[in-house]
């Protein structure tokens, strides 16, 4: 039990590492004040450029993957079913409520994707395809993320995942909707910004 608890604490602190803040600072940008003020990969890409944004996305995704794999391969054998799921949840909490930036944080899309890669890769692929299709057509990152959140539990159910994994997919979808509530209002009002990279 002690090992499991320690792994969950590690997962939280992994998730809490504010890569968006660190990367943006190296670009001379305070990401908490620039753009949308959200410390996530999309805002980094808008304010710092494509490469920093992609690096931020990859590192945020790696937080979720690492938390899941540590729980799976370091945790006790009897926790193999539930501990990776709990570790991803802790990483998401850390990402969204980071102790390093006064309990602020990103919206959890990249970290969710990274964790899903370790837990349900086929479900993730289906979700990614849906995100890419929506984003390619409408150019709204937020809309793609919301559709991703809806598709995940459906894909998990169709793929005959365990009830625990389906529950995780439902929870991730709910979190994405809660974290994007301001974006939903702007989408409904027609005031949401379409994605545009920082101009050189």
């Amino acid at each position: 039990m002690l090992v499991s608890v320690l792994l969950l604490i590690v997962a939280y602190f992994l998730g809490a590492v504010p890569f968006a803040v660190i990367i943006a600072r190296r670009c001379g940008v305070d990401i908490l004040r620039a753009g949308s003020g959200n410390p996530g990969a999309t805002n980094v890409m808008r304010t710092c450029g494509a490469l920093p944004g992609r690096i931020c996305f990859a590192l945020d995704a790696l937080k979720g993957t690492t938390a899941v794999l540590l729980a799976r391969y370091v945790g006790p054998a009897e926790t193999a079913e539930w501990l990776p799921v709990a570790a991803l949840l802790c990483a998401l909490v850390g990402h969204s409520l980071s102790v390093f930036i006064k309990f602020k944080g990103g919206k959890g899309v990249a970290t969710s994707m990274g964790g899903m890669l370790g837990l349900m890769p086929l479900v993730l692929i289906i979700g990614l395809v849906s995100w890419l299709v929506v984003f390619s057509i409408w150019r709204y990152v937020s809309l793609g993320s919301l559709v991703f959140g809806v598709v995940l539990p459906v894909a998990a159910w169709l793929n005959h995942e365990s009830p625990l994994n389906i529950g995780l997919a439902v929870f991730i979808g709910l979190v994405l909707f809660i974290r994007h509530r301001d974006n939903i209002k702007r989408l409904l009002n027609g005031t949401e910004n379409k994605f545009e990279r920082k101009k050189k």
Side-chain angles (χ1 to χ4, degrees), residues 9-92:
I9 293 172
V10 169
Y12 169 83
F13 281 100
L14 271 174
V17 178
F19 285 119
V21 174
I22 295 168
I23 292 169
R25 188 174 295 159
R26 290 185 63 85
C27 300
V29 174
D30 181 354
I31 201 66
L32 297 175
R33 296 178 181 272
S36 65
N38 181 63
T42 300
N43 200 26
V44 172
M45 190 171 290
R46 283 195 177 113
T47 57
C48 298
L51 181 59
R54 288 168 184 162
I55 292 172
C56 182
F57 183 92
L59 290 174
D60 281 347
L62 186 61
K63 295 193 293 189
T65 306
T66 303
V68 167
L69 294 182
L70 278 175
R72 176 172 291 166
Y73 294 110
V74 178
E78 62 270 19
T79 67
E81 183 178 358
W82 65 267
L83 190 60
V85 172
L88 176 54
L89 293 177
C90 288
L92 283 171

Side-chain angles (χ1 to χ4, degrees), residues 31-184:
I31 201 66
L32 297 175
R33 296 178 181 272
S36 65
N38 181 63
T42 300
N43 200 26
V44 172
M45 190 171 290
R46 283 195 177 113
T47 57
C48 298
L51 181 59
R54 288 168 184 162
I55 292 172
C56 182
F57 183 92
L59 290 174
D60 281 347
L62 186 61
K63 295 193 293 189
T65 306
T66 303
V68 167
L69 294 182
L70 278 175
R72 176 172 291 166
Y73 294 110
V74 178
E78 62 270 19
T79 67
E81 183 178 358
W82 65 267
L83 190 60
V85 172
L88 176 54
L89 293 177
C90 288
L92 283 171
V93 171
H95 180 77
S96 300
L97 300 169
S98 173
V99 66
F100 300 117
I101 50 174
K102 300 180 180 179
F103 296 100
K104 297 177 182 178
K107 295 177 181 177
V109 177
T111 303
S112 296
M113 289 180 176
M116 293 291 289
L117 179 63
L119 287 170
M120 298 177 273
L122 180 58
V123 173
L124 172 65
I125 290 171
I126 295 171
L128 280 175
V129 169
S130 69
W131 187 95
L132 286 170
V133 169
V134 172
F135 176 71
S136 298
I137 295 172
W138 288 285
R139 306 301 294 176
Y140 291 116
V141 174
S142 57
L143 182 60
S145 299
L146 292 169
V147 171
F148 175 79
V150 171
V151 168
L152 276 188
V154 176
W157 178 71
L158 290 174
N159 198 44
H160 305 290
E161 294 288 343
S162 68
L164 186 61
N165 282 355
I166 294 173
L168 172 67
V170 171
F171 178 79
I172 289 175
L174 289 174
V175 169
L176 292 181
F177 268 77
I178 292 171
R179 297 292 290 168
H180 284 83
R181 57 190 181 276
D182 291 335
N183 303 83
I184 293 172

